[in-house]
Amino acid sequence: MAMADRLRLLLQAAPVLSSSGSFSSSSSSSTACYKEGGCISDYVAVALTALVSLMIFGGSVLLVLRRTVPEIKAKQVPLLLIQSIGSIVWLTSLLMTRNMFKLSHRNSFWESCYLWQLWLEGPFGFGLLISCHIARAFRLYYVFVGRRLPPIRSTFLVPLLLVLWILLSTALQAVQPFRSINECSARWYIWVVIGSMHLFYALVLILCTWAIRNIRFEFNEFTELVTGVSICLIFLVLWIIMNIVKQLAAGGGRLLGVVARFVLVFLGNVIVSCLFWIPVTRPLLAHMLHHPVLGAGRSNLNYDHSMGEALGVPNSGLLVPPAAHISLDEPLESLLQHKRFRLSFLSFAESRIAGETVHFWDEVRELSKLSLTQQDRRVYMADHIIQKYIVNGSQCEINISAQMRLEILSTNDLADPNLFKRAAEEAVHMMQTNLLKEYWQSSYFQELKNQIEMDMEYSAQLERMNIRDIPLRVIRNRDYELPTDNPFERSQASSVPSSGPLDPQGVNLGSRTNGNSTSKSLDFKNIPPWESKAHESQSAYGNRLSKIRVNMDGSASSQSRHLSNRNRLGYLISQRSPSPPHHITPGLDSYSDDENNNKAKDPNIITRPASR
Amino acid sequence: MGCIFSREAADQGDIRDTIQAREIDKRIAQQSTAEKKVQKLLLLGAGESGKSTIFKQIKVLFQTGFDDSEKKNYTSVVHANAYQSIKILLDGLQEFSESEQEKYTLLPENKAIGEKLTEIGNRTQQPPLTEELAQQIEALWKDPAIQASYLRANELQLPDCASHFLNDIHRLAQPDYVPSKEDVLYARVRTMGIVETEFSPVGETKKRGELYRLFDVGGQRNERRKWIHLFDGVTAVIFCAALSEYDQTLFEDESSNRMIETKELFEWVLKEPTFEKTSFLLFLNKFDIFEQKINKVPLNTCEWFKDYKPLTSGQAEVENAYGYVKTKFEELYNESTPPDQRLDRVFKVYKTTALDENLIKRTFRLVDEVLVRQRLMDAKML
């Protein structure tokens, strides 16, 4: 109680209009709880803050785990993490500066008002929160309005933005505005200065948001920013009103003070929650709801889809023209347009740890499918490709010259259709010189040939049995388009047959070779189990299964074999004979047996080595 | 063996002998399994240091070599190299003519050809090299501006095979052209990913020796991330460093000097924990180009060699400079290896020119000896 007396004396001397209010000698419960904290509303406020902080922490963890999903990646996860740190710091500082706690060691550094009000609530709390949004708006402005890459990374921009506030805090620290180190009471103009700093940052955010108002964003960044800004403004206005009311009603202000600080903390929680959860709720929920058990294990329905899928790139190019029309003498670029070939080639490239070039080429191809009018989507995709493949030290950096890299990074138009043209050509050149020759001799190519032959055989059998229409398969292949009325072509162009129409295993099997499944999974991330032992039994050519090994000593002899194989396939393709090749026994039963074997040994999704 | 012993003792002797015999058999078996074990060799080094050329030499020397169809496969690569080289020189002209207009301007009759070849060089599918194109390329190659640009080739990313192919362009343009073995070795392909082969160096008595599994990798910075897949159980690392690159910049970063990059890379590889017992064989490669260059461009243009002082000139100077570079690499090795580890692993330096078949054959003999000796030492220690 001695301390309370001391404080009373101090405060009686000063014409203070702060949150500590005036004193009366009678220590009613409201006074005691007003001065030292411990009101019921205070406990509620603390509990609320703790709850909100925990939820934000949990949300951040979820974001980090799911940071590769395109919709979440577009929100810039590092910025979101910084924002959540800022939020938690700010909420805590709101609590600490309102005399809510009955603190015993009032003179310690950790309860210093300077720390909490000047530093943690200001630059590292509210300032951090708003700066993250400003940085996000800045990046969006540069990329979408300016169509160039921003000169500074967003995470480096945030400290820059805080410099101003830090300077102000330093200045205030020097001036020593607070009466004592533990009481957050100061002259009214100090509060005006601090409050105006808050307002200033909010205004900057409004300006930045206004600058990007015309862009239609794929992932709703603009609406989220606007929501965030308006919530901030509402909060600030309410805060100002609250403070003014408190000063005006200084006399009977104790109860009002208690209520005021509770409302402040409550509002702070609300604003922080809104700012954090509004951007991330939809993508996180959409992502999590598709897992059968939330996040536990990997389901067959693979939701780690690519940016191309997220932007709605049409998944065509598979069946038109049908696989039988692949001529293996085409240049590599046109061969790669056929999905089956592309998948097979990709698996081979990944076994040689050179997969990133094929992925890059594929994503550039997807970019080219976005029409020129969809500028914002093109920009998203181009930015994604640059961050993933071009930037120095990126996760899947491709092997291009410094000049080419510089050309792409210093572009003035991210939506330029020719942005990646030269790099893609270089990628094709590298694939041709490094991988193509060994691909023809590899087991991956053998498997592709087998699959094509099996397809042709199956469709020939169907024709013999007069089965024309296979509507169930059409149901499953959502992206399938019926090219002609020719039943032979139609059935031929469909997927590898599976045992049942809507069998989920069948879906998986179908997704092995042509990637169409009820889930919108991107096929080239599902490694077809070329490595599985199943295809050894099926492979009629009996090649040795060496994945990485390029046996140069054996190549001379296998070359001639490989040429004859190619010619053979060409013969099969050109003839399209309904009579089965001798090595595949006719009849559906044996075929489905093989295929059941294949299914049984079909391993689950294999994780790739390190091309991520 | 048991004749001289008494009967009882003979029984015991028999048992002892059987045990001994079994021990000997076991040790022989161990030795032969150790012999049959495949030795893993890695070819590491910065970009364009000669790793893939060594890889090709292995095929030529110890495997079946390149047959005609394989050589034919290199035709497109050789032609592409020719087109790229002339294109790079033409682009260099653009760059250089900004400062010195006159020296780096093509003769008027060659301007159209220059544009045409720049355009061809940019395509993925390049036209086959016809006699007409060969003539045009030759005309450009002889143009004084291009020759001036060639003198500053170290500022461009010109492949080392440029002069070999451009000087001989008519031969390459023959309709029935099949690349010679030399052409195949000169052909430049930037390696991507990891390539593997197995070979066995043929011994003096024509008996096949150790079985080696050799891995070739890409040398650019993004490719180095993939090396980690190979780092386990390596018998020896053949580190290729191109001697002649001390005045050139990196393909993937034109602000970094190639020799400095090689130095840092060598340091990094030496300090790799999985290589504690791995032998290091340093191939100081491209000695032929180094010989030509050392008298024109002083060694101390490179930051690392800045305290080199040329003493003489001519061939003695070449040997001097080479000795200096070798010493620098040896110092680097000693700095990066703690003293106790220096006994464990072997470090040898070889002067190589990857294009020279005989030299590589002799080098590999030496390498083989070193590795066999090392392996037997390890086996005895086990």
Side-chain angles (χ1 to χ4, degrees), chain A residues 203-222:
Chain A
L203 274 172
V204 170
L205 180 57
I206 294 175
L207 270 174
C208 292
T209 313
W210 187 77
I212 55 175
R213 68 192 182 287
N214 284 324
I215 311 295
R216 193 189 132 251
F217 288 98
E218 283 305 310
F219 301 117
N220 298 318
E221 282 97 328
F222 180 65

Side-chain angles (χ1 to χ4, degrees), chain A residues 352-353 356-357 394-395 397-399 401-402 425-426 430 432 434 437 548-550 552 555 609, chain B residues 55 59 63 70 73 122 124-125 190-196 213 220 222-223 225-226 229 251:
Chain A
R352 291 272 297 264
I353 321 206
E356 78 276 0
T357 313
S394 49
Q395 61 176 150
E397 194 180 341
I398 55 169
N399 195 342
S401 69
E425 286 171 355
E426 180 69 18
M430 291 201 67
Q432 263 170 338
N434 275 295
K437 289 184 196 68
I548 284 187
R549 188 167 312 182
V550 173
M552 285 193 168
S555 63
Chain B
F55 197 77
K59 189 170 154 71
Q63 294 171 339
E70 282 168 343
N73 283 332
N122 275 331
T124 28
Q125 290 289 87
R190 208 158 70 241
T191 313
M192 190 173 64
I194 294 175
V195 191
E196 169 188 344
R213 188 172 292 159
Q220 283 79 25
N222 70 305
E223 304 283 331
R225 221 175 298 148
K226 309 174 187 174
H229 295 268
F251 172 78

Side-chain angles (χ1 to χ4, degrees), chain A residues 60-111:
Chain A
S60 309
V61 167
L62 261 179
L63 279 177
V64 167
L65 287 177
R66 291 272 157 254
R67 66 185 178 279
T68 50
V69 174
E71 291 90 346
I72 292 179
K73 203 159 140 190
K75 314 280 179 202
Q76 294 167 260
V77 174
L79 275 185
L80 282 173
L81 291 179
I82 297 179
Q83 187 190 318
S84 48
I85 293 174
S87 319
I88 296 179
V89 164
W90 188 53
L91 284 179
T92 327
S93 64
L94 274 184
L95 283 182
M96 294 300 283
T97 55
R98 303 280 151 224
N99 300 331
M100 288 193 168
F101 295 108
K102 210 178 286 196
L103 301 159
S104 40
H105 310 285
R106 301 284 303 215
N107 279 324
S108 74
F109 169 74
W110 287 109
E111 285 112 34

Side-chain angles (χ1 to χ4, degrees), chain A residues 155-171:
Chain A
T155 36
F156 296 148
L157 185 59
V158 169
L160 272 178
L161 287 170
L162 289 178
V163 162
L164 191 59
W165 204 323
I166 292 178
L167 282 175
L168 178 75
S169 293
T170 327

Side-chain angles (χ1 to χ4, degrees), chain B residues 3-253:
Chain B
C3 305
I4 46 176
F5 295 104
S6 67
R7 191 182 157 80
E8 195 190 5
D11 282 343
Q12 280 188 354
D14 276 337
I15 293 170
R16 220 185 310 125
D17 291 337
T18 332
I19 295 175
Q20 247 182 8
R22 238 181 261 143
E23 282 285 339
I24 292 173
D25 283 333
K26 200 163 59 161
R27 216 170 284 158
I28 290 177
Q30 266 180 355
Q31 188 118 18
S32 39
T33 42
E35 269 172 17
K36 286 206 193 78
K37 187 181 129 185
V38 178
Q39 314 274 318
K40 190 169 170 185
L41 297 181
L42 298 188
L43 275 167
L44 301 182
E48 232 175 320
S49 53
K51 306 180 288 296
S52 298
T53 315
I54 302 266
F55 197 77
K56 285 183 217 165
Q57 286 281 24
I58 298 295
K59 189 170 154 71
V60 165
L61 294 170
F62 303 122
Q63 294 171 339
T64 54
F66 291 101
D67 64 3
D68 266 359
S69 58
E70 282 168 343
K71 284 187 193 168
K72 280 216 192 80
N73 283 332
Y74 273 93
T75 312
S76 56
V77 178
V78 168
H79 289 173
N81 284 162
Y83 286 129
Q84 276 159 17
S85 306
I86 199 73
K87 174 187 175 303
I88 291 172
L89 287 168
L90 284 166
D91 289 342
L93 276 187
Q94 299 278 10
E95 203 189 305
F96 297 147
S97 64
E98 280 169 21
S99 41
E100 283 176 84
Q101 182 75 13
E102 288 212 2
K103 194 168 166 194
Y104 297 108
T105 320
L106 285 173
L107 295 174
E109 59 262 26
N110 289 334
K111 281 207 164 63
I113 308 176
E115 279 170 22
K116 175 178 170 187
L117 281 170
T118 311
E119 190 268 322
I120 290 181
N122 275 331
R123 289 191 226 161
T124 28
Q125 290 289 87
Q126 281 153 346
L129 192 60
T130 56
E131 188 58 46
E132 184 203 341
L133 272 171
Q135 294 226 352
Q136 292 174 334
I137 293 179
E138 193 184 23
L140 270 185
W141 177 235
K142 294 206 167 96
D143 188 305
I146 293 281
Q147 283 296 319
S149 180
Y150 180 64
L151 286 178
R152 283 173 73 173
N154 65 309
E155 297 170 46
L156 311 168
Q157 298 294 332
L158 191 69
D160 290 316
C161 57
S163 59
H164 172 86
F165 287 141
L166 289 175
N167 279 330
D168 221 356
I169 193 80
H170 286 289
R171 179 173 63 88
L172 306 189
Q174 298 301 317
D176 55 350
Y177 167 66
V178 172
S180 64
K181 190 164 63 179
E182 209 187 14
D183 290 339
V184 168
L185 289 173
Y186 266 100
R188 162 95 187 128
V189 171
R190 208 158 70 241
T191 313
M192 190 173 64
I194 294 175
V195 191
E196 169 188 344
T197 189
E198 262 182 25
F199 73 101
S200 186
V202 179
E204 248 89 47
T205 59
K206 289 291 178 188
K207 188 171 68 109
R208 296 195 90 78
E210 308 282 314
L211 192 61
Y212 290 118
R213 188 172 292 159
L214 183 66
F215 290 87
D216 183 24
V217 296
Q220 283 79 25
R221 283 182 182 165
N222 70 305
E223 304 283 331
R224 291 176 209 161
R225 221 175 298 148
K226 309 174 187 174
W227 292 5
I228 198 80
H229 295 268
L230 300 172
F231 279 0
D232 271 324
V234 178
T235 309
V237 166
I238 300 178
F239 193 89
C240 295
L243 283 166
S244 60
E245 62 184 13
Y246 57 90
D247 64 342
Q248 290 174 286
T249 51
L250 285 181
F251 172 78
E252 65 267 27
D253 177 7

Side-chain angles (χ1 to χ4, degrees), chain A residues 102-321:
Chain A
K102 210 178 286 196
L103 301 159
S104 40
H105 310 285
R106 301 284 303 215
N107 279 324
S108 74
F109 169 74
W110 287 109
E111 285 112 34
S112 146
C113 197
Y114 285 98
L115 178 71
W116 289 103
Q117 182 64 46
L118 271 190
W119 294 101
L120 288 181
E121 196 264 333
F124 297 111
F126 192 74
L128 202 58
L129 196 54
I130 298 294
S131 304
C132 289
H133 280 86
I134 297 177
R136 182 174 299 124
F138 173 82
R139 181 163 206 278
L140 287 173
Y141 174 77
Y142 248 96
V143 169
F144 285 92
V145 177
R147 299 243 201 92
R148 320 162 55 198
L149 292 175
I152 323 171
R153 281 182 60 182
S154 320
T155 36
F156 296 148
L157 185 59
V158 169
L160 272 178
L161 287 170
L162 289 178
V163 162
L164 191 59
W165 204 323
I166 292 178
L167 282 175
L168 178 75
S169 293
T170 327
L172 281 180
Q173 177 96 13
V175 168
Q176 300 254 327
F178 296 119
R179 297 289 153 172
S180 82
I181 209 170
N182 295 311
E183 283 287 331
C184 281
S185 53
R187 303 204 179 209
W188 62 273
Y189 46 80
I190 302 291
W191 292 115
V192 167
V193 166
I194 294 182
S196 60
M197 203 59 182
H198 285 68
L199 263 178
F200 172 71
Y201 269 72
L203 274 172
V204 170
L205 180 57
I206 294 175
L207 270 174
C208 292
T209 313
W210 187 77
I212 55 175
R213 68 192 182 287
N214 284 324
I215 311 295
R216 193 189 132 251
F217 288 98
E218 283 305 310
F219 301 117
N220 298 318
E221 282 97 328
F222 180 65
T223 39
E224 286 151 11
L225 267 175
V226 164
T227 327
V229 166
S230 33
I231 290 176
C232 266
L233 274 181
I234 294 174
F235 167 80
L236 282 175
V237 163
L238 280 173
W239 193 355
I240 293 172
I241 293 178
M242 194 80 45
N243 267 319
I244 294 177
V245 161
K246 213 168 44 175
Q247 314 309 356
L248 291 179
R254 260 159 265 126
L255 190 59
L256 198 58
V258 169
V259 167
R261 71 186 183 203
F262 173 73
V263 169
L264 266 159
V265 174
F266 178 74
L267 280 179
N269 278 304
V270 163
I271 181 182
V272 155
S273 305
C274 288
L275 282 180
F276 183 80
W277 287 107
I278 287 178
V280 304
T281 311
R282 205 186 322 169
L284 267 184
L285 271 183
H287 200 254
M288 278 162 40
L289 281 179
H290 294 296
H291 281 271
V293 180
L294 285 178
R298 297 190 63 145
S299 60
N300 269 343
L301 311 172
N302 188 359
Y303 271 87
D304 284 333
H305 52 269
S306 75
M307 179 62 90
E309 286 222 322
L311 292 175
V313 171
N315 195 5
S316 65
L318 161 66
L319 307 167
V320 181

